[in-house]
Amino acid sequence: MSGNVVHLHKHTDPPAAVATRPALSVVPEQPAAPVVPLWVRSGRAIRTVVTHETTRTVARGAARHGLYVFGGARIVARRTWDGRTAARYERMLRAAEAAGNYEAAAEWEERGQRFREARHRRRMDLLHSPMDAAKGVLVGTGMGIGSLVALGVVLAIANKDATDVVTPLMAVVEFIRLLITIVQVVWGPLVSIGPFLALLALWAVGSHQQAAPQWALPVNVRDTTGEPITPSIVVKALRDLGVPALRNAIKEMGDAGASMLGPIRIAGCGVEVDVTLPSGVSTVEVQNRRRKLAENLTRHEHEVFITLPEAARTVRLWIADSGALDEPIGPSPLATDDTLTADYTKGRAPWGQDLRGDAALLSLFQRMLLVTGLSNQGKTAALRALALWLALDRTVEFRIADLKGAGDWAMFDGLATVLIQGPTDDHVIEATEMVEGGVEEMNRRLQAPDGADFPPLILLVDEAQVAFMCPAKDEDKRPYGGSKATSRYFTAARKIHNQGRAVNVLLWQGTQDPTDQNLPKLVREGAHTRASLALGTESQSRMALGDKAVDGGAAPHLLRQGLDKGTLVVASDGIEIPAGQASITVRTHYIDTETAGEIAERAKALRDGVTTLHVIERGEERDPLADIFAVLGDAPRVLTADVLKRLSTLNADAYGRWTPGDLKRVLEDAGAEPYKSDGRMVVGRDRVARALTNRDSNGSASASE
């Protein structure tokens, strides 16, 4: 007994004794922990040791260095074989034929033939070489002995000692005996360590060439740069794509699939090759396996682009050099060439580079524009780059609504006739009225006589999704946002899309994260040029670019968010797209805000001075003469046509239907009638200012009386 716990054992205590003892509390024993067999613990320990990272590193190191020897032997054997045979020429000949470069194939065939002829001559020479060598040895030996004897005779005469005749011969004999002694001393150790030296040499060759499997190489030297693209690599990648019909067709081809490939062409920072698929294999099956194809080519998914050229049952692969797409492209010509100008009608904007490294030039003539993408991917910068180029054409008028209001378009103050900046409902209302003012201008132009030439008017709305999602309504309960027939912004955008192109009234929109709610179908399909940065899903890509472009290989949803900033997939007839393709990928030039300001200053210098309106006034009584003076800005004189446009922009309700006769009437009544300058009617700022001063002074005098 120990303490209050008693363990009772029936086989030791008799029944009587147990009965006479006082009652004691009995505590049951706790179950003993299970005993783990020794062999189980040993197995766990062995498994821990085997799977430990240090053990795995040591095992990889041992395997690596052993495989270096085998790899080095294979490399040396192949080099020896290539040096002794025409295998190298045959290999290059097959590669040239597979690439379709028959001129190079003929050259390699000629080189191989010359090698065979030279080898044949060498072998024929070997048949006569033993006799020639024997004759040479005999002649050389005889001449050498004769020379030594002659030298000995000279020494004997000089020394008057007949024994000196054989002195040179004995010296040669002693030298030969010394060489034999050296060989006898060195030969034994050389035979012993020779194999080790040979293995060391093979190991050095294998180590230099990293001739070991990827799993055995240390992490810091494993090949992550991608292999050069060759016909055999492309065929192997297609064979292992997981399409049974394609794999079986390649196996059955006599040339191991080389006939499927067109020439491998260098295209910018990568290569391009057309692949004609065998019967029974659809192009969609290859397109849907883009990631696996890229991995088979030792590339990342974003480094392989699959498009459909004109030829039937053909896919075009563009394969980037590993890591090349992560390198920035050069600066925009707008930033490097101060003399660059724009031409709205015939010019093309330098937007960036395509994947082939060629300049991506976009025509903006009579084309509605839509740029979309996820947030913070470079949408505003891409849209602004086009506007900055077009601003270098002094005939172009801009009316801009930035519904983000972060100052990205501030440099257009003094360049655009309207500049709205802000994300609130009031800013959306102003942006809507700006677009509606564009509709009024479009209608005025459409009613002009046939043959009239109108300067381009660009209505630019950045972050247009804010307008479509605006819940505000006007006094007639018509919503500003939405996509119904009564929605004001939607209706105005549709009207411009329908008829604005004919009279150079164009709508450019930038949106983010498109959906059917913030980018209605009728609006997005009204754009002639559609461009998309990185998106989240394929359905968004179809909204941004259309089904045809996505079915043809366009995949902005596969661009890497945050890493492919400024990279656009463009569907437009205004940019040169390879035949058969529906879209092209463009890496745009980035123009920072400071540089954009400098370019905008150059554009302002081309103009006489532009008064920028920041608020579109509406609903109040107008003073026509004061408004005319306001829109004249600092210019000494402005064309009457430009004054009418600025008044319409200021307030479309009050001045949208004004004609030159209305303007002339108001100015003549005030004593500031228009006059001709260089043969064109203009409004003089000084005249209008004097008329306002006289009117105000007369009004003050009348009031005092």
Side-chain angles (χ1 to χ4, degrees):
M1 184 168 63
S2 175
N4 295 325
V5 179
V6 176
H7 296 281
L8 302 179
H9 302 280
K10 295 172 66 176
H11 63 280
T12 56
D13 294 336
V18 174
T20 58
R21 288 179 182 175
L24 297 176
S25 61
V26 179
V27 179
E29 291 185 1
Q30 295 296 327
V35 178
V36 180
L38 179 61
W39 65 270
V40 174
R41 288 181 302 198
S42 301
R44 290 175 180 173
I46 292 172
R47 184 174 61 184
T48 301
V49 171
V50 170
T51 59
H52 194 274
E53 184 60 31
T54 301
T55 306
R56 296 170 65 183
T57 302
V58 172
R60 278 200 304 268
R64 177 170 66 251
H65 292 289
L67 291 169
Y68 279 164
V69 176
F70 290 101
R74 178 177 55 82
I75 293 171
V76 170
R78 182 163 185 174
R79 289 175 180 174
T80 304
W81 178 258
D82 286 346
R84 301 287 296 176
T85 68
R88 177 187 292 111
Y89 302 96
E90 293 292 338
R91 189 165 59 250
M92 300 303 294
L93 172 62
R94 288 195 300 270
E97 287 178 341
N101 192 347
Y102 298 108
E103 182 179 348
E107 181 181 351
W108 282 111
E109 184 178 14
E110 183 181 353
R111 290 185 181 183
Q113 187 61 34
R114 290 200 300 266
F115 172 82
R116 293 186 185 92
E117 292 175 357
R119 182 180 61 185
H120 178 71
R121 287 195 301 269
R122 289 194 302 270
R123 289 177 176 175
M124 295 303 295
D125 292 341
L126 288 176
L127 298 177
H128 306 286
S129 59
M131 295 296 297
D132 295 338
K135 291 178 181 179
V137 170
L138 291 176
V139 172
T141 302
M143 293 179 63
I145 293 175
S147 300
L148 291 175
V149 171
L151 179 60
V153 171
V154 173
L155 288 175
I157 295 172
N159 297 330
K160 298 179 180 180
D161 187 355
T163 59
D164 287 342
V165 173
V166 295
T167 298
L169 288 174
M170 296 305 298
V172 172
V173 171
E174 290 296 329
F175 178 71
I176 294 174
R177 190 192 324 183
L178 177 62
L179 291 179
I180 294 173
T181 303
I182 293 173
V183 169
Q184 289 175 340
V185 172
V186 174
W187 182 256
L190 187 62
V191 170
S192 301
I193 66 173
F196 296 100
L197 293 176
L199 290 175
L200 181 61
L202 294 176
W203 176 90
V205 173
S207 175
H208 180 71
Q209 298 292 332
Q210 297 294 317
Q214 289 292 311
W215 60 265
L217 294 175
V219 175
N220 60 338
V221 298
R222 290 184 189 177
D223 184 10
T224 59
T225 60
E227 301 177 13
I229 299 302
T230 62
S232 60
I233 287 178
V234 176
V235 172
K236 185 176 182 297
L238 293 168
R239 185 195 66 195
D240 298 338
L241 201 54
V243 181
L246 180 59
R247 181 179 61 250
N248 295 334
I250 291 174
K251 288 181 179 179
E252 294 172 359
M253 292 180 184
D255 57 359
S259 59
M260 296 193 308
L261 306 184
I264 297 180
R265 304 176 295 271
I266 295 177
C269 56
V271 297
E272 185 178 74
V273 59
D274 287 352
V275 181
T276 302
L277 301 176
S279 178
V281 181
S282 169
T283 55
V284 176
E285 293 180 280
V286 178
Q287 285 182 299
N288 291 341
R289 291 170 171 80
R290 175 182 172 185
R291 174 174 294 181
K292 188 170 185 179
L293 177 62
E295 291 172 350
N296 290 348
L297 293 167
T298 64
R299 296 295 190 271
H300 296 292
E301 183 178 12
H302 71 276
E303 294 175 329
V304 174
F305 288 80
I306 306 172
T307 55
L308 303 180
E310 284 184 311
R313 212 174 66 235
T314 302
V315 293
R316 177 168 293 161
L317 307 180
W318 185 86
I319 307 159
D321 297 336
S322 187
L325 293 183
D326 297 326
E327 299 294 330
I329 65 173
S332 170
L334 294 173
T336 58
D337 186 358
D338 293 342
T339 63
L340 187 67
T341 58
D343 185 342
Y344 164 76
T345 305
K346 299 179 181 179
R348 291 177 177 265
W351 211 6
Q353 294 180 0
D354 62 18
L355 297 178
R356 296 167 182 80
D358 299 327
L361 306 176
L362 180 67
S363 172
L364 302 174
F365 177 63
Q366 294 187 343
R367 288 179 174 87
M368 309 291 173
L369 181 64
L370 173 65
V371 179
T372 187
L374 297 178
S375 177
N376 195 32
Q377 297 303 301
K379 167 181 53 63
T380 297
L383 191 60
R384 187 175 66 187
L386 296 177
L388 287 170
W389 176 80
L390 193 56
L392 297 175
D393 183 342
R394 64 188 308 273
T395 65
V396 179
E397 178 188 354
F398 286 94
R399 301 179 188 179
I400 298 175
D402 174 16
L403 297 182
K404 180 166 58 177
D408 293 331
W409 297 90
M411 70 287 302
F412 278 81
D413 192 355
L415 186 57
T417 54
V418 175
L419 181 59
I420 300 164
Q421 300 181 90
T424 66
D425 289 350
D426 288 338
H427 293 102
V428 171
I429 293 172
E430 292 176 357
T432 302
E433 293 180 347
M434 180 193 80
V435 178
E436 290 175 338
V439 175
E440 292 291 335
E441 173 64 16
M442 176 189 71
N443 291 333
R444 184 186 70 80
R445 295 182 179 189
L446 289 171
Q447 295 169 7
D450 292 340
D453 187 19
F454 301 104
L457 170 60
I458 307 299
L459 304 168
L460 193 155
V461 182
D462 195 12
E463 306 296 342
Q465 77 279 356
V466 178
F468 286 112
M469 300 301 290
C470 177
K473 297 182 178 181
D474 62 13
E475 59 274 9
D476 297 327
K477 303 301 182 183
R478 292 181 60 197
Y480 286 94
S483 58
K484 297 181 179 179
T486 57
S487 301
R488 291 181 59 177
Y489 181 85
F490 171 78
T491 302
R494 287 293 302 141
K495 288 180 178 179
I496 293 176
H497 279 169
N498 289 339
Q499 295 179 298
R501 177 178 180 271
V503 289
N504 288 330
V505 177
L506 305 177
L507 178 61
W508 292 6
Q509 296 181 98
T511 69
Q512 66 174 252
D513 202 8
T515 64
D516 283 327
Q517 289 71 40
N518 65 26
L519 186 59
K521 177 181 177 64
L522 291 178
V523 171
R524 62 182 185 246
E525 291 187 350
H528 303 96
T529 296
R530 300 165 73 171
S532 177
L533 297 118
L535 289 173
T537 64
E538 182 180 330
S539 62
Q540 287 185 316
S541 297
R542 294 184 180 275
M543 292 180 191
L545 300 177
D547 291 336
K548 179 180 179 181
V550 174
D551 291 339
H557 56 284
L558 295 181
L559 294 174
R560 301 166 299 167
Q561 183 177 2
L563 297 177
D564 289 326
K565 284 187 176 182
T567 300
L568 288 158
V569 182
V570 184
S572 171
D573 62 349
I575 192 170
E576 186 175 350
I577 297 178
Q581 295 182 204
S583 65
I584 189 171
T585 301
V586 176
R587 303 173 68 197
T588 58
H589 296 295
Y590 175 69
I591 302 176
D592 59 45
T593 304
E594 181 180 353
T595 305
E598 296 172 358
I599 299 170
E601 291 300 323
R602 300 206 315 259
K604 293 174 186 177
L606 298 175
R607 292 163 169 78
D608 294 331
V610 176
T611 301
T612 299
L613 303 177
H614 296 276
V615 177
I616 299 178
E617 301 175 359
R618 53 190 183 275
E620 66 271 14
E621 193 69 26
R622 307 301 310 180
D623 182 349
L625 190 61
D627 287 343
I628 291 171
F629 182 74
V631 300
L632 289 176
D634 297 330
R637 66 188 68 85
V638 179
L639 295 174
T640 54
D642 291 342
V643 173
L644 286 172
K645 287 194 299 183
R646 296 180 186 184
L647 287 172
S648 178
T649 301
L650 179 65
N651 192 298
D653 294 335
Y655 304 116
R657 298 183 180 275
W658 267 33
T659 64
D662 296 326
L663 177 63
K664 181 179 180 181
R665 175 180 50 78
V666 171
L667 292 174
E668 285 180 345
D669 291 345
E673 61 277 354
Y675 61 94
K676 280 191 175 183
S677 175
D678 295 331
R680 304 182 69 182
M681 296 300 295
V682 298
V683 178
R685 186 178 184 277
D686 292 341
R687 291 189 180 190
V688 177
R690 187 164 52 250
L692 277 173
T693 303
N694 293 337
R695 188 189 68 176
D696 293 342
S697 60
N698 292 337
S700 300
S702 299
S704 62
E705 292 175 358

